[in-house]
Structure formats: structure tokens, C-alpha cells
Amino acid sequence: MFVWVGRVTQLEDRKATTKAVEEFIISQKRPKTTRVTQVIQGYESHAFKSKFESWPAGNVTGSSGAEDGRGKVAALLKQQGVDVKGAPKSSTPVNEEVPPLLEGGGKLEVWCVNGNAKTALPKQDNGKFYSGDCYIILYTYHSGDKKEEYYLNYWIGKDSTADDQLMALELANTMWNSLKGRPVLGRIYQGKEPPQFVALFQPMVILKGGISSGYKKIADEKGVGSGTYSAEGIALIRVSGTAIHSNKTLQVEALATSLSSTDCFVLQSGNAMYTWHGNSSTYEQQQWAAKVAEFLKPGVAVKHCKEGTESSAFWFALDGKQSYTNKNPAQDVIVREPHLYAFSSKKGRLEVTEIFNFSQDDMLTEDMMILDTHGEVFIWVGQCVESKEKLKAFDIGQKYIEHAMSIEDLSPYVPLYKVSEGNEPSFFKTYFSWDNTKSVVHGNSFQKKLSLLFGLRSESTSKSSANGGPTQRASALAALSSAFNPSSQPKQANDRPASSGDGPTQRASALAALSNAFNPSSKPKTALPSRSGQGSQRAAAVAALSSVLTAEQSGSTDNLRASKTSMPSTTAGKTDTEVVVISQSETSPRSEAGESSEFRTEKDAVVEEVPSAGGRVEPEAPQEQTTEHVGEATFSYDRLISKSTDPIRGIDYKRREAYLSDSEFQTVFGISKDAFYRQPGWKQELQKRKAGLF
């Protein structure tokens, strides 16, 4: 729950709000553990803004009523010919939220793509980008206790040639491979630079034309001249953003009509350099304009002039004085809730499944996932994904963008990133409650889960191969799932209750038994055990682990959901197929594409059999559930939720909702139990997740 507080509210009102929230929680019969976050106007977090379909630009809410009043008075006096000093400086948000940026103090390297090679830029030119060129940027930095992290991008100018764009991708992939796939690899188009990219350059200036051989060749063929910026020519540079993550400056047409009273400009005319301050510009913009002038022509004498005090030489450089705007340009700022998707490929068609209420645990090491924040698209690649599948990450991301363009108004030029498991940057982690220990544990999903459960670190670094393929992973995860499900525990697990003194030894035995059962590589190569022997050994391992975990179960074990495991078919002759369940909420903004589309999502539950290789595998088909109660006992909602501080033990954690009383069930879900269980399985699951009963 969020409480939004206006910046000029009285202290008494804020105190009363606290009491009102407590009364609201009680009246709505919400858990006492409900998290309440107070949000101050102008300091709204991303989590708060994402709850709205759109959020206005920061300067709309960033100024108080008093500042608005002063602005109106100043405008009125100015109309009457009165010189107003100290005009309101409101073109920049007063309290602009700074997104997660990369750690400073790293090494920045920039190359310009030139033909079939790349040319390193001198350090003093880092930050100069020509719209007719493509660039490769590598930033090496230290993050926490890790040795080195890499942020690798290729930037595409809006006037660059197709050949240079393809070469930039090829050269960036070569560098990515040379660094063993560790860097975050991004594709960034001009005009869509993300905050963490802009923050690397202080300042970042985008100039006209290009210096690459490819651009010059195309310009010569068209016979129009390159129009490339030169230090001796005439150029007008617009300065608008000044924050560390939004300080882009852009060369515009050298005409008076390009000016704006809300911004500052740098005018270069041969050896002369001017900074022009609009009447509504901020002090920060004026300071930044001086910095840009020094960056373009170090050591040159700069002439500063305010709007209305321009010299004749200034207007001559702009082909004469003309009218220009005095209004802020419209800002299209849309904040939307991020979405996480799993996907599978069938006959060249990408099928996407949305993961609702997602968390870090939803990203399995055998999978590739899509995270769409609307401002950026990430393709997350697990460690155990096959190498040939990793190479397809950008192609998959591009297919997704092309699809989302039509139904989500996603820009075709949105930044696209490839992120490898274990090398997630801060601007990716911000969309999760991130636990670094989970990303550094090696092994497949089953081995990772064991390591985290027992407080161990798996030394195995098994990759997806013939020895550790989907069938083996599915068997292992199914065994562990049964160990956590009291209703399906083998009887022999109760024959020998675990004592407190034997806990560690028994856990070690169970872990060793499971390793032997599920790791064929550790078995003798000379003798292959029979099928019956494997089954007995597997059963013994599961029984051993079950007896250990029975006394240690808690709500946290629900993280092992069947929807995250790949279950082998029990039908004879079906061991090489897996079941894919694709579902989506009716209220989700993601729409369904036509059947003829190469890329589609499904609103209704669909069950299909696809080859086991590649893609995300979801095992649960929607099943008809009866209204039979799991048990006669009923428990309170506060104790049944997955994050309860006083959880119930010994229940079927997959059907927590069944332990609610009829009246409380009606309060939580808004419908009766009979009506709930008549719904499709996917819809039940969605409602259970929203209620915290999963």
C-alpha cells in the first residue's frame, strides 16, 4: 500500500494520514503485515509510478503551488514591460529521480566503426557522436566484491549506413565473445539512449554528419555534401537536460527559429563561440552550456548573452533574427509496469508466456527470459543455455520488439540488452528483490536449489548436455518436489524419524544419494545400472531427503513450484516430448496476435507438445479441480499466505486457499469456493498469486 503526500500538506494532515491507514487496514480486513510506503510529491519511486498507466513529466509535479503562483505573477509583469529578476527556473524537475547507474571510476573506451574495422577515438573526443556513424562503447568497472564488470554497447546514428550498422553488431559480438560472454551487450539507437549510457559521458554531444568512410561515400554519391560538423564552421548546439543521466546535447539547424526561451544554446561561428541563455532557462543549463562550449573548443573565449541582448554578429551567424518558441517541448514520458516473459520456439514461431508477480526465482538457469520495462528490453540468458541458443538472443529480442510495437506502442528503437546469468547489472536488478548469492551458485536448477536449501555451494558447473538434459533435470526436480509435498511422501520416509543430532549427517547422506542418482557423470563408466536399479536408488534418495525436510518445511519451500519444472511424460513412447502451457491474464495489457503472426501470445490456456530442446518449458496443464476440501481444519488468511510470519505446517502448500473458511474465502477472492474451482486452472493460479496463496 502506498500513501502519497503532497509537498505543501500540513504536519497535522500527515499525522492524521498514519491513523487513517491503520483504520483502513482494519476495516478492509487486510493482514497486519501489510507493507505501507509513504511517497512524497516529486520523489515518487519507479515502483509507485508503475502502478499507473502513464505518469506526467517530473516538472509537472515537481513545483509547488507557490512556485506556480510566482511564475504567473512574473509572466504578468513581463507583459507589462517590467524587468523581472529571479524568474522561476522550472524547466527542470526540482526533484528528478535518478535511476540506478553504473559505478564510477571505470575505464571508458570508444571506437568508431569505419569500413570493416573500428577506429579508437582519442580520450578527449569521448562523448562526441556523429549521427551518420556507428560506435562501439566498452565500459569496464568494479562492482562490489567482483573483479571486473563490463558494459558493452553499439550505438547507431540515425543517418548511419546499413553496412555500418551490421558491422557494428558483428564487431560488438566479437568483443563479447572475446570477454567470454560476461559483458552486458546493448544495442542503442540515437535519441533513445538510456540513463546509464548517457551518464558515461559528461557531456554527450550529438553532431551532424559523419566521419566514417561509409557515410562519406554515401554523401558523395548523393552529391549533397556531408554537412558534417567542423570546428571552423557554423553550428548551433541545444542544451536542455543537465542531470548526470540526461545531459544529452544535440546539434540543430543554425537558424534563429531553432532557439527556445526554455533552453540554452551554444553557437559556434568560426573562431567565435557564444552561449545563449533563454529567459526561462535554469542556472544549471547555463553552466552546462559553458561546459559544452569548452568541450567543443577547449581554451576558446566564450561570449555569454541573455535572451534580448544579442549582438548583430550573433544574428548574422543564424541568417538573421526570426521568431522562435517560448514554450517547453511536449515530453512523452510513459511509466508502465515491467513484464517478464518465458518463451518457446515452435516451427520458427515464438510463443510467449507471461510470468505474473515475477521474482528472481522465476529465472531458471536452463532458460532465456524477456524483461520488458517499456523503456528497455532485456534478454536474460541462463548459464545452462546451449551456446547456439545464446547466439539467437538478439534475434529473439528483435522479434519480440516487432510484435510489441503493434500492441504495446513499444518504440522500434527501444534499447535492447543481452544479460548473462551472474553478470546482471544494477539497472537490471532494480526490477527484482535481488539476492546476489542466488546468481553466483553454479549448476543446474536442481543443484542450485539444493545448494541454497542446505547452505552449500555446488561445485558442479554442469552445462546442458546429453548427461544433464531436460529429462534428467525434470526427474531431479520432480523428486525434490515430491520431497516437499507431505501428501505424496513415500511411506518409508516416516519409518525413521530424524533426530536433532542426526540432522547434518542425514542431510549429507541425502545430498550424496541424490547426487549419485541424478549425476550420471559420477557413475563408473564400465558398468551401466539397470532401470530398476536406477529407480530404487532414486526412490531411496528421495525418501532420505523427505525424512530430513519433513521437520524443516516452512513457507519458503513454496518457491519450488511445479510451474518452474520440466516434467517428463509418463506415457510410454512419450519421453522425448514436453508439455507447454501458455496462459495470460484477461486483464493483462498484452494482446493476442493473429494466428498468421510469426510471433504470438495466448490469452486462453493452450497445451501443446513441442520438442524438448530449447525454450522455456511449463509442465502444468489446466486441470479441473473439485471443491473437495483438503482437510477439515481451517486456518486464518494471515497464517496461510506464503510470506506469513507464523506459517501453518504440514498442509498441502499447493492448495493453501482450500484451508480458508467459506466466509474468509469469499472475502479474499470475492467468489465462493465452488465458483473458484469451476474456473480454468490458469485463472485460479493467477488469483492465488495475487492473494499471496501460492
Side-chain angles (χ1 to χ4, degrees):
M1 184 184 298
F2 294 89
V3 178
W4 186 88
V5 180
R7 291 173 58 192
V8 295
T9 51
Q10 300 299 316
L11 180 61
E12 293 77 11
D13 294 334
R14 299 191 184 193
K15 290 181 178 179
T17 302
T18 304
K19 184 178 180 181
V21 169
E22 294 176 355
E23 293 175 352
F24 180 79
I25 291 176
I26 294 173
S27 65
Q28 296 294 317
K29 296 181 180 179
R30 297 199 176 196
K32 294 180 180 179
T33 56
T34 299
R35 180 180 177 182
V36 180
T37 303
Q38 189 179 72
V39 180
I40 306 298
Q41 178 185 2
Y43 291 87
E44 294 88 355
S45 64
H46 174 84
F48 178 81
K49 293 178 182 178
S50 68
K51 307 302 179 186
F52 298 85
E53 184 176 353
S54 62
W55 189 263
N59 57 328
V60 176
T61 59
S63 58
S64 67
E67 289 171 338
D68 292 339
R70 286 195 297 270
K72 292 177 181 178
V73 172
L76 180 60
L77 292 174
K78 187 175 179 181
Q79 287 178 0
Q80 297 174 352
V82 179
D83 185 21
V84 181
K85 295 184 178 180
K89 302 169 182 178
S90 58
S91 63
T92 299
V94 176
N95 297 300
E96 188 173 359
E97 181 182 357
V98 179
L101 305 176
L102 301 176
E103 286 77 358
K107 178 183 179 183
L108 179 63
E109 299 172 273
V110 183
W111 296 267
C112 179
V113 175
N114 194 7
N116 296 326
K118 61 182 189 294
T119 304
L121 295 185
K123 188 175 181 179
Q124 63 269 21
D125 285 342
N126 285 350
K128 291 181 183 178
F129 292 85
Y130 289 87
S131 60
D133 294 336
C134 294
Y135 296 83
I136 296 174
I137 301 93
L138 175 63
Y139 181 62
T140 307
Y141 63 100
H142 293 270
S143 174
D145 57 350
K146 294 184 179 180
K147 293 182 179 179
E148 281 184 331
E149 295 290 343
Y150 303 97
Y151 179 59
L152 176 64
N153 296 275
Y154 65 100
W155 183 89
I156 298 174
K158 66 180 182 66
D159 299 321
S160 60
T161 66
D163 289 342
D164 282 351
Q165 294 178 19
L166 290 175
M167 183 54 60
L169 171 60
E170 183 177 330
L171 293 172
N173 273 323
T174 300
M175 293 182 66
W176 186 80
N177 289 325
S178 67
L179 293 170
K180 300 180 180 179
R182 290 184 57 198
V184 176
L185 178 59
R187 181 192 67 189
I188 297 173
Y189 283 99
Q190 177 183 337
K192 292 293 183 179
E193 295 86 356
Q196 61 275 3
F197 180 86
V198 177
L200 297 178
F201 307 96
Q202 302 296 315
M204 177 180 179
V205 183
I206 300 177
L207 303 170
K208 288 180 174 291
I211 57 176
S212 66
S213 58
Y215 177 81
K216 291 178 180 179
K217 180 180 178 181
I218 295 296
D220 291 341
E221 290 176 356
K222 292 182 178 180
V224 294
S226 64
T228 301
Y229 166 86
S230 67
E232 293 77 26
I234 297 176
L236 184 63
I237 314 294
R238 180 175 190 159
V239 178
S240 50
T242 59
I244 186 174
H245 62 282
S246 62
N247 65 81
K248 287 186 298 180
T249 57
L250 179 68
Q251 182 179 355
V252 295
E253 293 295 329
L255 298 171
T257 53
S258 299
L259 299 174
S260 171
S261 298
T262 61
D263 293 326
C264 290
F265 290 79
V266 175
L267 175 62
Q268 172 190 296
S269 177
N271 294 325
M273 185 74 80
Y274 303 86
T275 60
W276 183 86
H277 305 157
N279 285 333
S280 299
S281 63
T282 66
Y283 174 75
E284 289 78 14
Q285 286 176 310
Q286 297 167 15
Q287 294 292 102
W288 202 259
K291 184 173 183 177
V292 171
E294 176 67 20
F295 175 66
L296 292 175
K297 299 189 75 170
V300 69
V302 180
K303 302 174 183 178
H304 305 282
C305 63
K306 295 182 179 180
E307 182 179 358
T309 65
E310 302 86 353
S311 64
S312 57
F314 179 90
W315 292 120
F316 179 79
L318 297 178
D319 286 344
K321 185 176 181 179
Q322 301 180 56
S323 61
Y324 49 84
T325 183
N326 58 0
K327 297 180 180 179
N328 270 319
Q331 296 184 358
D332 184 18
V333 179
I334 301 177
V335 179
R336 293 186 180 175
E337 187 174 356
H339 297 266
L340 183 69
Y341 299 95
F343 59 85
S344 60
S345 181
K346 183 180 181 181
K347 297 180 180 179
R349 183 170 56 188
L350 204 61
E351 297 179 336
V352 172
T353 307
E354 180 164 5
I355 309 297
F356 296 98
N357 300 320
F358 63 83
S359 68
Q360 183 182 356
D361 293 332
D362 288 301
M363 298 188 295
L364 302 184
T365 188
E366 295 84 8
D367 291 343
M368 289 197 292
M369 313 288 289
I370 298 174
L371 176 64
D372 178 7
T373 70
H374 200 77
E376 295 165 306
V377 173
F378 299 88
I379 307 298
W380 181 86
V381 183
Q383 292 176 352
C384 293
V385 174
E386 295 182 2
S387 298
K388 63 179 182 180
E389 295 296 325
K390 292 180 180 180
L391 298 177
K392 300 177 182 178
F394 260 43
D395 293 335
I396 292 169
Q398 183 57 37
K399 276 189 177 182
Y400 171 80
I401 291 173
E402 291 170 359
H403 172 72
M405 283 166 51
S406 58
I407 62 173
E408 276 289 303
D409 294 328
L410 189 68
S411 169
Y413 305 111
V414 65
L416 176 62
Y417 285 107
K418 177 165 65 173
V419 178
S420 301
E421 181 182 9
N423 298 295
E424 296 87 353
S426 58
F427 57 90
F428 177 86
K429 297 176 184 177
T430 188
Y431 297 101
F432 303 83
S433 296
W434 197 263
D435 182 356
N436 287 323
T437 59
K438 293 182 180 180
S439 60
V440 298
V441 176
H442 296 290
N444 58 34
S445 296
F446 175 65
Q447 292 166 331
K448 283 174 175 281
K449 185 59 66 176
L450 281 181
S451 298
L452 294 171
L453 284 173
F454 292 113
L456 304 173
R457 291 293 174 87
S458 173
E459 297 298 330
S460 172
T461 57
S462 64
K463 306 293 180 183
S464 57
S465 62
N467 292 334
T471 303
Q472 187 187 20
R473 286 197 301 272
S475 301
L477 290 170
L480 188 58
S481 179
S482 65
F484 277 92
N485 190 352
S487 61
S488 62
Q489 286 180 0
K491 292 183 179 180
Q492 60 266 36
N494 298 323
D495 294 340
R496 183 183 176 186
S499 62
S500 58
D502 294 336
T505 303
Q506 194 175 18
R507 273 197 297 272
S509 301
L511 184 59
L514 281 171
S515 298
N516 291 333
F518 299 118
N519 189 3
S521 61
S522 62
K523 298 178 183 179
K525 296 182 179 179
T526 55
L528 293 175
S530 64
R531 287 184 176 270
S532 60
Q534 287 180 341
S536 301
Q537 190 180 22
R538 189 174 293 111
V542 172
L545 185 59
S546 298
S547 61
V548 176
L549 298 176
T550 300
E552 297 181 348
Q553 285 179 341
S554 65
S556 62
T557 59
D558 282 32
N559 290 332
L560 271 174
R561 303 196 308 277
S563 63
K564 295 182 184 176
T565 61
S566 177
M567 302 288 288
S569 173
T570 56
T571 306
K574 294 288 186 180
T575 56
D576 292 332
T577 62
E578 296 167 346
V579 177
V580 174
V581 178
I582 305 169
S583 64
Q584 189 165 25
S585 167
E586 293 177 350
T587 59
S588 171
R590 307 281 168 180
S591 302
E592 181 179 7
E595 283 297 324
S596 61
S597 174
E598 191 179 34
F599 183 109
R600 65 187 179 96
T601 58
E602 301 287 348
K603 281 190 176 180
D604 300 319
V606 179
V607 182
E608 301 181 23
E609 289 189 354
V610 298
S612 60
R616 170 86 171 188
V617 180
E618 298 286 350
E620 289 187 37
Q623 298 178 359
E624 284 293 324
Q625 295 192 26
T626 66
T627 57
E628 295 181 4
H629 289 202
V630 176
E632 296 298 329
T634 59
F635 304 97
S636 68
Y637 174 76
D638 290 347
R639 298 191 67 190
L640 286 171
I641 58 175
S642 57
K643 296 183 179 180
S644 174
T645 56
D646 183 22
I648 298 294
R649 313 214 182 254
I651 63 173
D652 184 352
Y653 292 108
K654 294 181 183 178
R655 300 194 64 195
R656 294 172 185 264
E657 78 287 351
Y659 296 93
L660 290 169
S661 64
D662 292 341
S663 60
E664 195 164 16
F665 191 98
Q666 181 76 31
T667 301
V668 172
F669 292 100
I671 57 175
S672 65
K673 286 188 178 181
D674 290 341
F676 178 82
Y677 288 120
R678 283 197 296 269
Q679 299 179 118
W682 67 267
K683 199 166 186 177
Q684 295 177 30
E685 183 69 14
L686 174 61
Q687 293 175 336
K688 286 160 62 175
R689 287 176 183 273
K690 287 184 177 180
L693 295 168
F694 62 93

